[in-house]
């Protein structure tokens, strides 16, 4: 029995939304017919009608396609010590450029980062992957880490960022609830959008 549940939201989508750089079609969905789709990014597997957003509220069905609204839309970016991350002896005495966006795929009532995880917004700073890597190098960070809200919501962006990070000798990690589907995990490991 969930403590509480979010109703699936229905949005009126304007054409302006699709012009935002952070709004991108996601490869993580399948069609269900009659314009309905199923998001396959996490195990919620939300089935969405046109204009409807998933439980995370940051992915929605627009005319039969799944769009993420959080590609590169950052709500925080900060160099943080590796020692405060849930990783054992991973690049000790260095820092990672740590980023987040909005939303979460879990509705926990006790979230310490509720100001990020419980809100659906298109406010934030759009940072292209190349720019983020430059920031990390300028800061002297050893890598990139996604945290604060649930990194699942940044998956497409993370894959693009991590590919660039590896090419520039930076490590990459996510602090996640692990509720990704095998398809999404495979996309992280191969750094390819397999669709
Ligand atoms: S990522 Fe969001 S829309 Fe997709 S299945 Fe999970 S909760 Fe639903």
């Amino acid at each position: 029995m969930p403590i509480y549940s979010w109703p699936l939201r229905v949005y009126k989508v304007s054409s302006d939304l699709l012009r935002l750089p952070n709004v991108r079609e996601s490869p993580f969905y399948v069609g269900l017919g009659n314009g309905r789709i199923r998001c396959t990014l996490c195990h919620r597997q939300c089935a969405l009608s046109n204009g409807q957003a998933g439980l995370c509220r940051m992915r929605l069905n627009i005319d039969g396609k799944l769009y993420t609204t959080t590609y590169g839309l950052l709500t925080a970016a900060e160099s943080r010590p590796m020692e405060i991350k849930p990783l054992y002896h991973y690049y000790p005495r260095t820092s990672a450029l740590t980023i987040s966006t909005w939303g979460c795929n879990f509705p926990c009532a006790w979230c310490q980062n509720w100001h990020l995880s419980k809100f659906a917004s298109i406010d934030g700073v759009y940072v292209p992957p190349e720019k983020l890597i430059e920031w990390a190098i300028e800061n002297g960070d050893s890598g990139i880490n996604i945290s604060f809200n649930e990194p699942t919501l940044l998956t497409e962006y993370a894959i693009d960022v991590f590919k660039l990070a590896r090419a520039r000798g930076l490590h990459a990690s996510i602090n996640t609830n692990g509720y990704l589907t095998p398809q999404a995990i495979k996309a992280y490991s191969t750094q390819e959008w397999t669709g």
Side-chain angles (χ1 to χ4, degrees), residues 9-192:
R9 300 293 177 99
V10 178
Y11 291 89
K12 280 187 182 158
V13 176
S14 84
S15 55
D16 291 345
L17 189 72
L18 290 175
R19 282 198 278 273
L20 296 175
N22 51 294
V23 177
R24 308 270 179 116
E25 185 178 352
S26 171
F28 299 104
Y29 71 100
V30 293
L32 298 175
N34 295 326
R36 281 169 55 79
I37 57 174
R38 184 181 301 286
C39 177
T40 59
L41 180 59
C42 88
H43 284 291
R44 298 279 175 205
Q45 303 267 315
C46 298
L48 306 170
S49 299
N50 192 21
Q52 208 170 27
L55 183 136
C56 63
R57 300 188 293 177
M58 304 314 297
R59 291 170 178 266
L60 62 160
N61 177 346
I62 303 175
D63 294 335
K65 296 177 179 175
L66 183 74
Y67 285 82
T68 171
T69 59
T70 56
Y71 185 97
L73 185 71
L74 303 190
T75 53
E78 182 184 25
S79 289
R80 306 200 103 202
M82 291 306 296
E83 282 82 358
I84 65 172
K85 302 193 180 299
L87 302 164
Y88 178 68
H89 209 69
Y90 189 72
Y91 292 88
R93 290 179 287 179
T94 69
S95 61
L97 183 56
T98 306
I99 60 170
S100 65
T101 188
W102 301 106
C104 188
N105 55 352
F106 276 22
C108 313
W110 52 85
C111 180
Q112 66 174 2
N113 287 332
W114 58 271
H115 57 295
L116 301 175
S117 64
K118 296 289 185 282
F119 287 92
S121 175
I122 53 170
D123 290 334
V125 178
Y126 173 70
V127 181
E130 298 79 9
K131 184 74 184 168
L132 191 76
I133 298 298
E134 291 307 322
W135 280 357
I137 291 169
E138 283 169 20
N139 289 342
D141 296 314
S142 61
I144 306 285
N145 176 258
I146 307 181
S147 185
F148 305 132
N149 78 312
E150 172 49 43
T152 297
L153 280 304
L154 276 174
T155 292
E156 296 86 351
Y157 181 67
I159 291 167
D160 288 348
V161 165
F162 290 0
K163 203 183 296 185
L164 290 175
R166 192 166 65 170
R168 299 293 293 272
L170 300 173
H171 62 79
S173 58
I174 58 175
N175 300 357
T176 178
N177 58 30
Y179 211 47
L180 293 155
T181 59
Q183 177 193 352
I185 291 170
K186 187 176 171 198
Y188 272 98
S189 61
T190 60
Q191 297 185 339
E192 298 290 343

